[in-house]
Amino acid sequence: QVQLVQSGAEVKRPGASVMVSCKASGYSFTGYFIHWVRQAPGQGLEWMGRINPNNGDTIHARHFQGRVTMTRDTSISTAYMELTRLRSDDTAIYYCARDTGGIYDSTLDYWGQGTLFTVSS
Amino acid sequence: QSVLTQPPSVSAAPGQKVTISCSGSSSNIGKNYVSWYQQLPGTAPKLLIYDTDKRPSGIPDRFSGSKSGTSATLGITGLQTGDEADYYCDTWDSSLSAVVFGGGTKLAVL
């Protein structure tokens, strides 16, 4: 069965960086985009960007330009999202999700369990 | 401020029908497919509707999706207390070259 398993919760200081991993199983990892979506406490969903695991191409939301890097390691079917220069308002649950839609589409059919990271001094 | 506009909350009685709207523009809903997600408290979102009006395997036909112009609608019939959740719409925005989400709608089944 399709599964996306994310790394565990983290606590970081403002200004630090954090990397979240998302290990895929049960399907061909290179066949589907992986998106990253975050949700601040009590807030809605916010799209961060996506990566094409086949060739590594990425698209990021403008809000995160310059601070987010999305990569993948096809040998272990894992996607990574690194966020730098952390601020307190980056405290959120971060999700990875598989996309079965096309290039101009968003059909997020499987989601990871979420990774909470807290930014606090 | 979300690119897609949803009502913050809706409510209806068990067994009744409710609709949730998602308003966008010609660069997003007006030209691209819409998806809907259900998020139960403390859990990851779950895909309910994709390609505007299609249901994934396992989603009951009580859930439906439609679109007219730059607005999309999620319909839920035969409401159950288990339907109490937050609901989000999303689509691709061709001007932003980005996925955009609605702000979410909290459904109360009273």
Side-chain angles (χ1 to χ4, degrees):
Chain A
Q1 72 282 22
V2 174
Q3 278 195 305
L4 298 174
V5 178
Q6 300 182 220
S7 48
E10 307 234 23
V11 179
K12 293 290 184 181
R13 302 286 193 200
S17 300
V18 68
M19 178 174 281
V20 182
S21 66
C22 171
K23 181 169 177 58
S25 61
Y27 73 98
S28 174
F29 177 64
T30 55
Y32 302 87
F33 294 155
I34 291 287
H35 292 242
W36 290 92
V37 176
R38 77 176 186 180
Q39 186 169 36
Q43 302 301 307
L45 303 174
E46 180 179 21
W47 184 75
M48 299 182 69
R50 76 178 185 205
I51 184 168
N52 180 345
N54 187 48
N55 58 17
D57 285 351
T58 60
I59 297 177
H60 306 132
R62 292 174 189 174
H63 177 70
F64 299 99
Q65 291 285 13
R67 287 209 302 142
V68 69
T69 304
M70 296 175 187
T71 57
R72 92 291 189 217
D73 184 339
T74 57
S75 69
I76 56 172
S77 299
T78 300
Y80 302 92
M81 187 281 297
E82 181 181 30
L83 190 61
T84 63
R85 302 195 304 275
L86 292 172
R87 309 186 296 245
S88 58
D89 62 357
D90 290 320
T91 295
I93 297 174
Y94 289 73
Y95 295 102
C96 62
R98 186 184 83 158
D99 185 0
T100 61
I103 295 174
Y104 306 115
D105 194 358
S106 164
T107 301
L108 307 180
D109 65 340
Y110 284 92
W111 294 65
Q113 82 276 19
T115 296
L116 170 65
F117 61 81
T118 304
V119 182
S120 174
S121 55
Chain B
Q1 195 79 352
S2 302
V3 172
L4 304 181
T5 301
Q6 298 180 233
S9 63
V10 295
S11 63
Q16 297 300 302
K17 172 182 177 177
V18 72
T19 60
I20 298 174
S21 62
C22 176
S23 177
S25 69
S26 58
S27 65
N28 44 64
I29 292 178
K31 62 168 58 177
N32 296 307
Y33 289 126
V34 178
S35 297
W36 289 91
Y37 304 87
Q38 176 193 61
Q39 187 177 32
L40 298 170
T43 68
K46 174 184 176 181
L47 180 66
L48 278 183
I49 298 288
Y50 69 98
D51 287 358
T52 301
D53 59 7
K54 297 180 176 58
R55 283 176 288 106
S57 173
I59 300 300
D61 59 7
R62 300 188 299 107
F63 295 90
S64 64
S66 63
K67 183 174 85 167
S68 178
T70 58
S71 290
T73 301
L74 173 70
I76 311 173
T77 59
L79 278 171
Q80 304 171 1
T81 55
D83 297 331
E84 287 199 326
D86 294 322
Y87 293 83
Y88 295 90
C89 57
D90 88 341
T91 187
W92 180 260
D93 189 296
S94 300
S95 293
L96 297 175
S97 292
V99 171
V100 289
F101 280 98
T105 298
K106 182 175 292 292
L107 168 63
V109 181
L110 306 172

